[in-house]
Amino acid sequence: NAGVMQNPRHLVRRRGQEARLRCSPMKGHSHVYWYRQLPEEGLKFMVYLQKENIIDESGMPKERFSAEFPKEGPSILRIQQVVRGDSAAYFCASSPDGQDGEQYFGPGTRLTVT
Amino acid sequence: LAKTTQPISMDSYEGQEVNITCSHNNIATNDYITWYQQFPSQGPRFIIQGYKTKVTNEVASLFIPADRKSSTLSLPRVSLSDTAVYYCLVGDTIGYSTLTFGKGTMLLVSP
């Protein structure tokens, strides 16, 4: 059973460009979470999605960030007009349901904004 | 969400038992205690979860006193590969669970 997959693993963008981060949850998991980790910091929750629904986006910046989890295909975290402060590791996690503290994390996407 | 406090770093040697304690004085009745491990450049990995008393799995043990205001993760006979950051999380798993990570404890295991 393949784990959570994220791509790309590394992404370099210039300021003002768009970044698209993809996450394929574990087979059978319908709950996806996105987290951001700044250097020397713990992970910060961003958004929680189920298929075609955003359940909780309380950790998402109000502007430039969006997330989706379509009926078919991976979950996408989109960052528009990136700035240097967006440079971080972005982790996706999945779980079979939303009632368990056990989440399965992907390897992360390291975004560098130059 | 209950705030957690844990040591910033710990040092140990191969073969020793390591105990990492986490304080969570404001833990709520519905809160569970969960520990994650994170290696550099990797996503966190679930280690163990408990509500009270003692929980043991193939990786670690979790000790929770009766008042639940703290918990201790015990790693038996650590090896070099146990060098990682360990996070203690407290949260309500009823409904849905969005994990709140602190800065964790950096465990360094030396030969």
Side-chain angles (χ1 to χ4, degrees):
Chain A
N1 186 9
V4 176
M5 300 176 68
Q6 291 187 248
N7 68 82
R9 293 293 308 276
H10 301 273
L11 182 61
V12 179
R13 285 288 178 267
R14 291 194 180 96
R15 280 179 298 171
Q17 291 185 320
E18 178 179 283
R20 290 169 61 94
L21 288 61
R22 297 175 184 78
C23 169
S24 297
M26 288 183 69
K27 185 177 181 180
H29 288 191
S30 60
H31 298 249
V32 167
Y33 312 79
W34 285 93
Y35 296 83
R36 176 167 63 176
Q37 187 172 34
L38 297 171
E40 309 301 324
E41 297 284 335
L43 281 77
K44 304 298 183 186
F45 165 76
M46 299 181 74
V47 62
Y48 162 44
L49 310 102
Q50 295 180 32
K51 286 285 187 180
E52 300 183 282
N53 284 305
I54 296 175
I55 306 302
D56 183 350
E57 56 182 348
S58 59
M60 287 275 273
K62 299 299 181 190
E63 299 177 347
R64 302 188 297 108
F65 286 72
S66 63
E68 63 178 8
F69 189 17
K71 185 177 181 180
E72 300 291 338
S75 175
I76 305 290
L77 179 67
R78 183 181 292 110
I79 311 173
Q80 296 177 306
Q81 299 175 326
V82 295
V83 300
R84 287 216 172 101
D86 296 332
S87 295
Y90 292 83
F91 291 96
C92 167
S94 72
S95 67
D97 58 46
Q99 298 186 4
D100 193 334
E102 182 174 358
Q103 296 178 8
Y104 298 83
F105 283 79
T109 294
R110 275 144 193 84
L111 173 65
T112 301
V113 179
T114 61
Chain B
L1 294 173
K3 181 180 178 180
T4 60
T5 303
Q6 51 184 126
I8 294 175
S9 64
M10 294 183 68
D11 295 321
S12 183
Y13 293 96
E14 283 189 292
Q16 290 189 331
E17 177 185 77
V18 171
N19 296 308
I20 306 175
T21 297
C22 178
S23 298
H24 28 79
N25 291 319
N26 297 322
I27 190 168
T29 302
N30 292 332
D31 286 342
Y32 278 72
I33 300 155
T34 309
W35 286 80
Y36 277 77
Q37 174 192 55
Q38 185 179 25
F39 297 112
S41 301
Q42 295 187 27
R45 183 176 73 102
F46 173 90
I47 300 176
I48 197 166
Q49 183 180 72
Y51 183 80
K52 63 180 179 181
T53 63
K54 177 183 175 182
V55 180
T56 298
N57 61 23
E58 65 277 6
V59 177
S61 295
L62 179 60
F63 298 92
I64 306 168
D67 65 6
R68 304 199 327 121
K69 293 184 182 300
S70 67
S71 60
T72 299
L73 175 72
S74 181
L75 304 172
R77 298 180 296 281
V78 295
S79 63
L80 297 177
S81 62
D82 291 318
T83 293
V85 178
Y86 292 82
Y87 295 97
C88 165
L89 293 83
V90 173
D92 182 357
T93 62
I94 297 176
Y96 65 87
S97 175
T98 57
L99 304 177
T100 299
F101 289 81
K103 293 189 176 182
T105 297
M106 175 64 216
L107 172 65
L108 176 62
V109 180
S110 301

